[in-house]
């Protein structure tokens, strides 16, 4: 019997994307997984299968890299039939005018301290884009039914939490309350926001919390649907390596 049989929720950040590989601010820009990211997603599925996880429903963002990760992981679990619910509220943080910029070049232009604030602070968003910009999501047909007033021009992590929570309360939580086992495939910041809520992480401490690509994190929940226990799955050394890779994205060689 699986040691994780009482864990109702798993979150997984997408595997390395082509833009992660190029060290670019991605945000709501759409890109596919890199070859390495494909292998990370498959490995996540193998880990979940080996640890005895089964899911009744999956939730995912509208961005390709998260959808690829979810499909590849479920494929390794022989469970691609799993019902999937997709929503823009699980998308990555919108990086505003930083989207498409190289992270090292941004550090050289604005300074490491300022870029760290934009990347990791709780309530300071990067400079916004104009509504005429191609980076304003209203110009993308996948958001055609969303009120443009709800779509971001730039976001802090606080803003991301504010848009993720209605989806948690109205879509994910009802599944959990119905006794369903849930996996969420999404992004570094949409999942950091959810993690902050579930684990009660402070505004200051969340700055130093990083989610590695492609490594599942499992939750056993309390009666009020907060984290009673949470743990990353798989090889601890690989977990540390991937977390350090995220931290190094704005460090000069």
């Amino acid at each position: 019997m699986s040691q994780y049989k009482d864990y109702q929720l798993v979150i997984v950040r997408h595997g390395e994307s082509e833009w992660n590989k190029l060290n670019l601010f991605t945000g709501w820009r759409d890109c596919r997984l890199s070859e390495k990211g494909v292998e990370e997603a498959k490995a996540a599925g193998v880990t979940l299968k080996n640890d005895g996880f089964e899911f009744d429903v999956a939730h995912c963002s509208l961005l390709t890299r998260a959808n690829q990760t979810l499909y590849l992981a479920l494929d390794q679990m022989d469970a691609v039939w799993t019902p999937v619910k997709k929503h823009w509220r699980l998308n990555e943080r919108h990086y505003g005018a930083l989207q498409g910029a190289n992270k090292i070049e941004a550090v050289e232009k604005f300074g490491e301290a300022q870029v760290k604030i934009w990347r990791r602070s709780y309530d300071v968003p990067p400079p916004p884009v104009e509504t005429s910009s191609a980076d304003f999501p209203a110009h993308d047909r996948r958001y055609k039914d969303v009120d443009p007033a709800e779509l971001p021009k730039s976001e802090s992590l606080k803003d991301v939490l504010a848009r993720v929570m209605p989806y948690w309360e109205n879509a994910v939580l009802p599944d959990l309350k119905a006794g369903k086992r849930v996996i969420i495939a999404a992004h570094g910041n949409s999942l950091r926001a959810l993690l902050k809520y579930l684990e009660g992480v402070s505004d200051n401490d969340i700055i130093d919390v990083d989610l590695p690509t492609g490594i599942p994190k499992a939750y056993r929940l309390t009666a009020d649907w907060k984290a009673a226990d949470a743990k990353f799955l798989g090889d601890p050394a690989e977990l540390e390596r991937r977390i350090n890779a995220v931290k190094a994205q704005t460090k000069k060689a």
Side-chain angles (χ1 to χ4, degrees), residues 10-13 59-61 66 69-70 90 183-187 191:
V10 168
I11 63 173
V12 60
R13 181 184 177 188
H59 294 262
C60 192
S61 79
T69 298
L70 178 60
L90 293 177
I183 183 170
I184 302 175
H187 306 268
L191 293 177

Side-chain angles (χ1 to χ4, degrees), residues 22 38 74 101 106 119 121 124 126 144 147 157 170 175 178 209 218 222 225 227 244 252:
L22 295 172
V38 168
L74 291 175
R119 289 187 72 217
S121 70
V124 180
K144 63 183 177 62
D147 182 350
L157 187 63
N170 297 323
D175 283 338
V209 173
T222 64
W225 308 102
N244 288 337
K252 297 179 182 179

Side-chain angles (χ1 to χ4, degrees), residues 65-169:
R65 55 198 186 272
N67 281 270
Q68 283 185 287
T69 298
L70 178 60
Y71 177 85
L72 290 167
L74 291 175
D75 187 40
Q76 294 299 311
M77 300 176 72
D78 300 316
V80 293
W81 50 266
T82 303
V84 179
K85 301 176 183 180
K86 302 179 183 182
H87 205 279
W88 66 270
R89 289 186 180 275
L90 293 177
N91 279 13
E92 177 59 296
R93 173 185 174 191
H94 195 297
Y95 273 105
L98 290 180
Q99 291 194 163
N102 179 277
K103 292 176 182 178
I104 296 298
E105 292 175 358
V107 166
E108 293 172 349
K109 182 176 181 178
F110 299 107
E112 186 172 345
Q114 179 63 69
V115 172
K116 183 176 181 179
I117 289 171
W118 284 335
R119 289 187 72 217
R120 286 290 181 258
S121 70
Y122 180 55
D123 58 3
V124 180
V129 296
E130 300 292 335
T131 55
S132 59
S133 169
D135 276 312
F136 182 54
H139 301 294
D140 188 322
R141 69 188 181 94
R142 79 191 80 182
Y143 311 112
K144 63 183 177 62
D145 295 326
V146 182
D147 182 350
E150 292 190 87
L151 294 171
K153 302 179 186 72
S154 178
E155 292 177 302
S156 66
L157 187 63
K158 183 177 181 180
D159 297 325
V160 177
L161 179 59
R163 70 157 154 92
V164 167
M165 285 311 299
Y167 188 77
W168 169 261
E169 292 168 355

Side-chain angles (χ1 to χ4, degrees), residues 203-220:
D203 295 358
N204 288 330
D205 289 345
I206 196 64
I207 294 172
D208 295 314
V209 173
D210 290 289
L211 278 176
T213 54
I215 294 186
K217 189 171 192 179
Y219 285 87
R220 183 169 53 83

